[in-house]
Amino acid sequence: MTSVPTPIPSRTQYVLDAIKHRILTGELTPGQSLVETELATQFGVSKTPVREALKTLAGTGLVVMSQYKGVTVRMVDADMAREVYDVRLLLEPEALRRAVRLGASLDTARDALTRADAATDTAERSLANREFHRALYLPCGNPLLVRMLDEVRDQAALVSAVAWAADPSWEREATEHREILRLALDGDADGAASALHSHIASFVRAAFPEPHPEEGQE
C-alpha cells in the first residue's frame, strides 16, 4: 500500500509559508540566521511549529541547519546554481514539450504571465514568474516528472532572487516568457521546448558565468 503523507499542522504550515515567502522574495537573504525564539515571537506561536517549519525548509534545500551556526538561509554560489539549473534544463523543456503534445490547457500560465506583467513590486512578480513556469510543466502527464521539478523549484527561486537582486533582468525574461507561451499555444511543442531551454540556460549563464582560464595559463 502507498503511505499517505502526514498533514502538516496548520500553525506549522502558516509559519512555513511565511518564512518561505520571505526567503524567495529576498526579505530574508542567503546566510541570514533564523532564530527560533525570534520567529516564534514574530508569528505569535510557540517554538514547536517554527522548529518543524525549519526542518521542512531544510529538507527542500532553502535553509541549512548546523550544530554550530544554527539555522541559516542557504547560501547561493555558482556551483549550487548550476546544479539546480542543470536539473531544470534536463527536465523542464521535456515536460513542456509533453504538455503541448497532449494539448493541455495553458490558461494558468497565461494568467500568471498577466499577473507578472501587472506586478507592482519584486515579490509579486517573482511569485507570478514561479507560477508561470510551474503551469508550463504541470500538465505534462507524468506526476513523477512534476514532483522532480517541484523538488528543485524552491532552490531555483532562491537562485533567481539572488541573481535579480544583483542584476534585474525582468523585461528580457518577460519577453522570453511571452515567446515561450506563444509557441506553446500555437502547438509548436519542439519550438516551445527549445525556447524554454534557451531561456533557462541564458539566465544561469548571465547570472553565474563560467570562469575563463587566464590567458597564458597552461
Side-chain angles (χ1 to χ4, degrees):
M1 290 180 63
T2 303
S3 60
V4 178
T6 304
I8 298 176
S10 58
R11 287 189 179 183
T12 300
Q13 187 67 55
Y14 162 69
V15 174
L16 173 64
D17 291 343
I19 296 174
K20 181 189 288 189
H21 183 275
R22 292 183 183 187
I23 292 173
L24 297 182
T25 56
E27 186 177 343
L28 293 171
T29 57
Q32 187 168 339
S33 295
L34 301 174
V35 182
E36 285 183 15
T37 51
E38 293 178 359
L39 291 169
T41 300
Q42 289 176 28
F43 297 123
V45 298
S46 69
K47 289 196 297 182
T48 299
V50 173
R51 186 177 303 119
E52 293 305 313
L54 292 176
K55 286 180 182 177
T56 301
L57 290 169
T60 65
L62 281 183
V63 307
V64 176
M65 306 184 90
S66 166
Q67 181 179 351
Y68 303 104
K69 294 183 179 180
V71 183
T72 56
V73 179
R74 183 174 181 177
M75 295 294 294
V76 174
D77 60 22
D79 288 340
M80 178 268 198
R82 292 188 194 112
E83 286 175 6
V84 171
Y85 271 69
D86 188 40
V87 173
R88 291 188 66 192
L89 283 168
L90 289 169
L91 302 181
E92 199 168 322
E94 177 59 25
L96 174 59
R97 179 184 286 109
R98 294 184 180 198
V100 175
R101 286 178 176 168
L102 287 171
S105 170
L106 294 173
D107 288 346
T108 303
R110 185 192 286 113
D111 292 344
L113 193 55
T114 300
R115 287 199 305 279
D117 286 341
T120 56
D121 60 42
T122 301
E124 189 180 352
R125 187 177 294 171
S126 175
L127 294 172
N129 279 348
R130 292 182 75 225
E131 291 172 17
F132 172 75
H133 276 275
R134 189 171 194 269
L136 294 179
Y137 68 72
L138 186 62
C140 70
N142 185 327
L144 178 57
L145 181 53
V146 171
R147 285 199 300 273
M148 292 172 72
L149 283 164
D150 277 350
E151 285 181 5
V152 299
R153 185 168 174 247
D154 287 344
Q155 294 178 55
L158 179 58
V159 172
S160 298
V162 171
W164 286 326
D167 181 23
S169 52
W170 299 109
E171 294 306 322
R172 175 178 57 78
E173 290 170 52
T175 299
E176 293 173 359
H177 283 171
R178 285 189 283 271
E179 177 63 8
I180 292 165
L181 183 60
R182 183 191 69 77
L183 291 165
L185 292 174
D186 285 349
D188 185 351
D190 290 336
S194 177
L196 179 58
H197 188 282
S198 296
H199 168 70
I200 295 170
S202 64
F203 178 85
V204 73
R205 194 165 51 239
F208 299 93
E210 293 279 358
H212 295 291
E214 294 182 13
E215 289 186 19
Q217 213 173 31
E218 293 280 322

